Amino acid sequence: MYQEVRPSRPSVIGVQTLLYRTPVSVVEKTLDALHHSSFIGRSEGMCNGFLIALGDGSPTPCVSEQQLEEWRERYPHFDRISYRFFDKNVGTSRGHNQLAKALNRADYLVFSNPDVVPDARAIWRMLAAFEDPRVGMAEAKQLPIEHPKDYDPGTGHTSWATTAFAMTPRELFGELGGFDAKTFFMYCDDLDYSWRVREAGRTVIFQPAAVVFHDKELTLEGKWMPTQAERQYSAQAALLLAHKWSREDVLERLSNIYRESAAPEHRAALREFQRRKRAGALVPQRDREHAIGTFTPRAFTKHRFWL
Amino acid sequence: MSFHKYDNSVQPDNKYGHTLDLLRKHVGGVPEGGVHLDIACGFGHIAEPIVDMLGLSYIGVDIEEMFIKELVDRGHEGHVADLSSPGLTEEFRRILDGRRLVSVTFLDGLEHMTDGSHALRAIGDILAEHRAVAVTSVPNVTHMDVALKNLLGQWTYTEAGLLDVTHYQLYSETSLKQAFARAGLNRIDAHDVILGKSDQYFPTDHAILSEKTSVSHFLRGMRNTAEPNGLVNQFVWALGPVPRREVVEDTEDGPFLSVLIRTQGKRPQELREAFLSLAAQSNQDFEIIVIGHRTTLDQQKTIERVIADQVPSLQERTRFLRIDRGQRSTPLNLGLENARGRYVSIFDDDDIVLGHWVDEFAKAEKDYGGRILRAVALRQNVTVIDVLGADGVRALGAPKPVYEREFSLARHVAKNQSPPIGWVFPRSLHRDFGLTFDESMTTVEDWEFLLQAAQLVGVTDVSRVGAIYRWWTDRDSSRTAHPHDEWLQNELEVRRRIDAKPFLLPAGDTRRLRKDLQRLAELERVVRKQRLELKELKEKRGGGAPRALAGRQRPRRLVRVLARKSVTAARNPRLVRQKLRALVGRRSAS
């Protein structure tokens, strides 16, 4: 039988998820999977605590008190399920930063999208990567469509990790000041955090053996279909990222593309960037030697394929 | 002796001969004073052979006094009894009067009774009491001749035979087995009477009865696949006693889908990913049957571990079966036998589906239930790598749309365009039509199944990407585990089978076929025209082929010239080149 990779000592895991108009049934599917993961982790001595923190940026709460009580009954292998209604859409960076504060008992934080279903071993296989103290962030592989960015097929080293399902030591997260909520509302906050992890001398690992399901809609030709909001926020985030990581050339190229783009969301993204610049709301630039940021003509690192 | 319509003599190939064969086979040592009870004996056709052959005392029982009188006149024991009486068991005990019962016959009696249940229960009781054996004979109302005519609305009673006017109960193999099971009787052997042409084979020029007509050929093929009794005229079965049981019908309370995952336990990470894509389905109305094929103990444990890692609600809907024999199809057939869903999916242990895969099919069932449902499957190149000591699957390229988006059965005859993960089929195809995966096939078993199934029920396309078919670039898979020759052999065998039978195309496919044939005719016309032009060109130059086509550049130049003349040809210069070579070859040879 194959040998399972395991962490050598038990840890307290804190999983944080941001809801936005998320149906309870979707949250439950994620919780069911995490609960089974906790059960396996405890029964195999890999886990000595499992905390869940839900943050809700919806206009009205997705989860009622009664629902919360029901979950606390139903999921005995969670030490705690906390729920915070933000009363406004605070974005992913600010939302995750606030949730992380509530998970101060956790050794490791797991950032999870609300519609992700993790395999029961995913967390423990990601945790095993931290046996190497140089590792600062580990990312699971998404199914059914794997993220196309490149990673080293032996070490798993990669430029950045998506926080659809990623893990980082809570202490490191605190040291680095969490996600850059001043700059990023959503999108590229994970990229920026990954690069700051690497800037701090730690590595970012992609572990394909740790799998989570994060559904995608594809065209009949197999192409990705981003929504209008995804296009706008990712365009805006790309400009801000290029600025922050001192890539004036990329900033100029993107600005030209968005200025000429027929898509109104691209022009809106550029306008917002220019507004911030005029208002002096941009953060100081870093990585002037371009040692960390890995911009490529079409993405933020080399890709193995394009969707 | 009076004449009766069933007054047939004992012949080796009729029901009496078959009955005696079964008795000879199943009656062991005959105890002192052992008796044979012949129920609904008529005038006792088999009385003398029973006595002579088995050395048993013969006792006939019938409701007709006239028959019993004849029997007694011939020196046998006979009793008049009402075979539909609830107290028949007691009546049999009274007749036997403490004597040892060795065997029972009940030939062509059951179908004449309005309610044969008391007779069967009484037989069950006395067989159990004496550990005796019984032989029954019952006409098969589902004989091909009856069934084919019935399809055309024809049902003709006759004085005797399969549709005897005096038959009250009509039996198929299944209904007869059920009647016996309820009475505590179990078939232990059979020696049925086979008739290619039954007494219902009339009129003799009936086109649907002739084996030579297309419609008959198709229907006979379908029937023979569904169940094997099309030519059985009479079921002649040996029966033994078993506890009575109520027959449980195949109820419709199963889930929408049965997902059959065949695995050898050699790809645990891929199996884990397959399970994950099922666990995440938006519609959970499915069961999973994992069939471990030729697994070692370690592989079995590996599979069990992957299952144990699933959430409890999925584990509860997962069954793990094992089978240690057969080819690739054998585990699928085991899964089919155990499936309870209205639909069935063949899910290899390295397949991945999108989150709406089950739901899209379930929605399509509402309007197209009974048909094969087919989603778009993309193909993605993948490999397995080891990252920090753990195996992981790594995509090597984007998922590609390499399979035809719309299903065409006509085109599938030439080449399979539907990986199994992209379609689901109604379980009725197996339960009612008897379709299975051909166990002699070492590859392409899914193509063979699809071709048969699509003819019968048709295919509905679900225009949404539903699945990722993984293409292993540098490791073992079914593609690499079998030599190229073996794949070719199997493909040839599938084609041979298609060609051997009438083929039913669904509505719409004739249009596609017509378009394809028209395109082919147009291509042939272009080639003919170009051939003529080439001939004229050569004649104009006067030098014949060797001069006109000297050097390697000439044909290419000619191709370009010809291609300019025809857009169609320009799209396929290779075809033009082939035609040119053939032409030059023929010229040179002449």
Side-chain angles (χ1 to χ4, degrees):
Chain A
M1 198 159 70
Y2 73 94
Q3 287 300 309
E4 183 63 42
V5 291
R6 294 169 198 281
S8 59
R9 56 189 178 281
S11 298
V12 178
I13 301 296
V15 180
Q16 50 185 74
T17 297
L18 295 169
L19 313 180
Y20 186 76
R21 300 178 192 265
T22 315
V24 163
S25 59
V26 171
V27 184
E28 282 183 343
K29 193 171 277 183
T30 305
L31 291 178
D32 281 349
L34 288 169
H35 185 250
H36 195 57
S37 187
S38 173
F39 165 72
I40 285 176
R42 286 169 195 274
S43 56
E44 296 183 14
M46 299 181 285
C47 173
N48 53 9
F50 207 106
L51 314 165
I52 301 288
L54 304 173
D56 190 349
S58 314
T60 53
C62 296
V63 182
S64 65
E65 267 306 312
Q66 189 189 352
Q67 183 65 67
L68 211 53
E69 281 310 308
E70 197 183 308
W71 283 345
R72 285 170 183 146
E73 285 263 310
R74 195 203 297 184
Y75 300 123
H77 300 299
F78 292 149
D79 296 277
R80 201 179 77 200
I81 305 178
S82 65
Y83 170 75
R84 181 168 175 191
F85 179 60
F86 295 125
D87 209 10
K88 66 174 180 178
N89 188 357
V90 295
T92 54
S93 311
R94 184 160 285 113
H96 272 310
N97 287 348
Q98 294 195 19
L99 290 183
K101 288 177 193 160
L103 295 173
N104 55 5
R105 267 188 56 215
D107 300 316
Y108 291 90
L109 300 176
V110 174
F111 310 107
S112 171
N113 273 24
D115 53 347
V116 157
V117 179
D119 170 64
R121 301 262 163 203
I123 283 178
W124 314 116
R125 289 178 178 182
M126 289 160 80
L127 187 59
F130 291 93
E131 293 290 295
D132 179 350
R134 290 168 298 182
V135 174
M137 194 176 189
E139 178 194 358
K141 187 184 84 163
Q142 295 176 52
L143 290 175
I145 307 298
E146 185 176 334
H147 197 287
K149 69 187 163 61
D150 200 14
Y151 63 93
D152 186 289
T155 62
H157 285 177
T158 188
S159 170
W160 64 279
T162 75
T163 46
F165 204 82
M167 180 184 278
T168 194
R170 190 185 56 79
E171 203 177 328
L172 179 65
F173 189 73
E175 283 168 17
L176 296 178
F179 293 111
D180 178 358
K182 188 179 175 199
T183 304
F184 302 103
F185 181 72
M186 61 169 64
Y187 300 112
C188 292
D189 47 354
D190 46 6
L191 244 150
D192 174 70
Y193 178 75
S194 304
W195 287 353
R196 282 188 286 126
V197 166
R198 287 176 45 229
E199 197 177 39
R202 309 284 279 268
T203 57
V204 177
I205 298 291
F206 182 85
Q207 176 48 280
V211 284
V212 300
F213 194 90
H214 187 207
D215 207 13
K216 292 278 185 298
E217 182 73 17
L218 297 175
T219 67
L220 296 178
E221 287 74 35
K223 299 293 176 196
W224 179 49
M225 293 196 288
T227 62
Q228 189 179 341
E230 281 172 332
R231 278 198 297 270
Q232 177 168 343
Y233 284 114
S234 58
Q236 187 180 309
L239 292 166
L240 294 165
L241 191 76
H243 160 77
K244 182 172 179 181
W245 291 86
S246 308
R247 288 297 298 263
E248 300 301 335
D249 55 330
V250 175
L251 190 59
E252 190 183 339
R253 179 168 51 81
L254 289 176
S255 297
N256 289 337
I257 291 170
Y258 296 158
R259 194 174 294 117
E260 303 298 322
S261 171
E265 56 269 23
H266 283 163
R267 295 196 299 276
L270 183 59
R271 279 197 302 275
E272 171 61 16
F273 177 78
Q274 287 165 339
R275 187 193 66 75
R276 289 196 195 192
K277 191 174 178 183
R278 282 195 301 272
L282 299 178
V283 293
Q285 290 187 306
R286 60 208 303 158
D287 189 30
R288 295 202 179 270
E289 302 302 315
H290 303 162
I292 303 295
T294 52
F295 293 87
T296 66
R298 290 176 67 184
F300 306 107
T301 187
K302 186 181 159 196
H303 277 205
R304 285 165 289 145
F305 53 89
W306 297 98
L307 286 171
Chain B
M1 192 176 290
S2 66
F3 172 78
H4 185 267
K5 62 186 181 182
Y6 289 119
D7 190 6
N8 306 311
S9 61
V10 176
Q11 297 293 336
D13 59 352
N14 68 9
K15 65 187 174 195
Y16 299 122
H18 288 202
T19 298
L20 292 172
D21 281 347
L22 287 172
L23 285 173
R24 253 195 302 265
K25 193 169 162 187
H26 293 281
V27 170
V30 176
E32 183 71 28
V35 298
H36 174 90
L37 195 61
D38 188 9
I39 299 164
C41 65
F43 71 93
H45 311 77
I46 56 169
E48 284 77 15
I50 290 282
V51 173
D52 297 345
M53 188 184 78
L54 299 176
L56 293 166
S57 298
Y58 177 91
I59 306 171
V61 179
D62 203 295
I63 196 164
E64 291 286 344
E65 276 186 48
M66 178 186 71
F67 293 144
I68 298 304
K69 185 171 180 306
E70 283 183 17
L71 196 63
V72 172
D73 288 348
R74 277 163 38 216
H76 298 291
E77 180 179 337
H79 299 269
V80 176
D82 178 3
L83 299 179
S84 60
S85 162
L88 192 58
T89 302
E90 276 309 310
E91 182 65 11
F92 285 160
R93 287 181 186 137
R94 190 189 61 73
I95 291 168
L96 290 171
D97 194 24
R99 288 176 288 180
R100 170 77 161 87
L101 179 71
V102 175
S103 54
V104 174
T105 44
F106 186 28
L107 308 180
D108 287 6
L110 186 61
E111 66 276 15
H112 292 277
M113 302 176 71
T114 51
D115 178 6
S117 64
H118 297 302
L120 292 181
R121 278 173 176 257
I123 293 171
D125 288 340
I126 57 172
L127 287 193
E129 285 168 16
H130 292 264
R131 282 183 291 172
V133 65
V135 174
T136 59
S137 160
V138 178
N140 173 25
V141 76
T142 69
H143 188 283
M144 194 79 79
D145 296 342
V146 180
L148 290 174
K149 286 164 70 177
N150 190 19
L151 197 63
L152 300 179
Q154 295 167 9
W155 184 263
T156 316
Y157 282 111
T158 50
E159 271 302 302
L162 290 173
L163 296 183
D164 182 325
V165 284
T166 62
H167 287 177
Y168 287 107
Q169 296 280 333
L170 306 174
Y171 289 95
S172 65
E173 182 191 27
T174 303
S175 65
L176 188 58
K177 278 166 82 173
Q178 290 172 344
F180 287 154
R182 282 191 288 268
L185 294 164
N186 184 45
R187 181 174 67 179
I188 55 176
D189 202 353
H191 193 171
D192 298 332
V193 176
I194 308 294
L195 281 183
K197 291 180 180 177
S198 72
D199 66 285
Q200 283 285 321
Y201 193 97
F202 65 85
T204 53
D205 62 348
H206 198 314
I208 206 165
L209 292 176
S210 165
E211 288 181 35
K212 305 296 179 192
T213 60
S214 297
V215 63
S216 182
H217 193 172
F218 185 85
L219 292 172
R220 283 170 188 272
M222 186 174 77
R223 167 62 192 276
N224 288 337
T225 307
E227 67 98 72
N229 300 304
L231 301 183
V232 171
N233 200 65
Q234 273 163 307
F235 299 114
V236 183
W237 295 355
L239 306 172
V242 287
R244 285 178 194 151
R245 65 182 173 87
E246 272 310 310
V247 178
V248 181
E249 297 286 344
D250 188 356
T251 54
E252 293 181 359
D253 60 356
F256 161 62
L257 185 66
S258 294
V259 178
L260 311 185
I261 303 181
R262 66 179 156 187
T263 180
Q264 294 180 304
K266 294 177 181 172
R267 309 193 281 202
Q269 182 61 15
E270 294 88 320
L271 181 63
R272 181 174 294 280
E273 293 193 356
F275 258 100
L276 179 61
S277 71
L278 288 167
Q281 288 298 303
S282 57
N283 183 333
Q284 291 284 314
D285 189 10
F286 62 89
E287 62 171 1
I288 300 176
I289 302 177
V290 180
I291 310 110
H293 190 208
R294 298 177 185 275
T295 49
T296 63
L297 186 60
D298 267 359
Q299 289 160 347
Q300 178 194 332
K301 284 182 180 170
T302 298
I303 296 165
E304 286 167 350
R305 182 170 184 174
V306 172
I307 295 172
D309 281 351
Q310 304 310 310
V311 292
S313 61
L314 192 61
Q315 282 186 52
E316 286 162 12
R317 289 179 282 132
T318 302
R319 283 176 281 163
F320 178 34
L321 312 174
R322 291 176 61 222
I323 188 163
D324 290 330
R325 60 171 179 80
Q327 310 278 0
R328 279 166 53 82
S329 300
T330 311
L332 296 183
N333 289 334
L334 178 66
L336 269 181
E337 286 300 319
N338 285 276
R340 297 186 307 111
R342 299 191 297 282
Y343 270 79
V344 178
S345 154
I346 304 306
F347 202 117
D348 279 332
D349 63 0
D350 57 347
D351 286 330
I352 291 293
V353 289
L354 276 71
H356 54 262
W357 179 72
V358 173
D359 199 48
E360 284 297 322
F361 290 140
K363 281 191 221 157
E365 187 207 21
K366 288 180 184 142
D367 288 330
Y368 302 101
R371 291 168 67 81
I372 292 169
L373 308 172
R374 179 182 184 264
V376 174
L378 303 173
R379 196 172 83 183
Q380 187 170 32
N381 288 356
V382 290
T383 190
V384 168
I385 55 168
D386 177 328
V387 172
L388 305 176
D391 278 351
V393 178
R394 177 180 167 98
L396 298 173
K400 301 278 187 200
V402 300
Y403 306 107
E404 282 185 3
R405 195 183 298 169
E406 285 183 21
F407 183 85
S408 158
L409 184 53
R411 289 186 182 163
H412 272 70
V413 166
K415 190 182 175 195
N416 191 9
Q417 285 288 325
S418 302
I421 192 59
W423 47 278
V424 297
F425 60 92
R427 187 162 64 89
S428 169
L429 279 171
H430 172 66
R431 185 192 59 209
D432 303 318
F433 287 83
L435 284 198
T436 56
F437 290 86
D438 190 315
E439 298 196 11
S440 68
M441 291 270 171
T442 51
T443 59
V444 301
E445 70 286 352
D446 52 321
W447 183 34
E448 204 255 356
F449 184 92
L450 179 60
L451 287 173
Q452 290 188 72
Q455 287 185 73
L456 295 172
V457 298
V459 177
T460 289
D461 283 307
V462 175
S463 292
R464 206 167 166 195
V465 174
I468 308 289
Y469 182 69
R470 289 162 147 191
W471 194 258
W472 299 96
T473 56
D474 56 0
R475 58 167 286 180
D476 284 349
S477 66
S478 62
R479 192 160 50 84
T480 56
H482 303 273
H484 184 62
D485 283 354
E486 194 176 317
W487 280 90
L488 280 180
Q489 283 293 332
N490 285 326
E491 285 175 11
L492 285 173
E493 176 59 18
V494 171
R495 290 187 184 127
R496 190 194 63 73
R497 290 181 192 188
I498 297 165
D499 296 345
K501 288 189 290 192
F503 196 83
L504 182 65
L505 283 180
D509 258 32
T510 45
R511 183 173 44 80
R512 287 198 187 97
L513 206 54
R514 191 183 309 117
K515 273 174 76 176
D516 286 350
L517 288 172
Q518 283 169 345
R519 213 169 56 226
L520 182 65
E522 174 64 11
L523 278 173
E524 285 174 342
R525 192 189 62 76
V526 169
V527 169
R528 267 198 307 275
K529 190 174 163 220
Q530 288 171 344
R531 197 176 282 167
L532 273 175
E533 286 171 352
L534 182 66
K535 193 179 168 193
E536 284 168 15
L537 193 66
K538 279 190 283 186
E539 282 169 1
K540 231 183 254 177
R541 294 201 174 185
R547 185 168 171 268
L549 299 174
R552 290 177 63 83
Q553 296 305 312
R554 296 273 185 191
R556 287 192 193 129
R557 219 173 289 151
L558 270 171
V559 166
R560 282 200 294 274
V561 170
L562 290 170
R564 274 199 295 275
K565 290 179 181 289
S566 163
V567 176
T568 313
R571 284 188 190 134
N572 196 351
R574 187 186 288 176
L575 177 72
V576 180
R577 230 173 262 142
Q578 281 171 357
K579 295 286 174 192
L580 272 171
R581 281 197 198 105
L583 190 66
V584 172
R586 275 206 296 279
R587 297 270 166 174
S588 303
S590 62

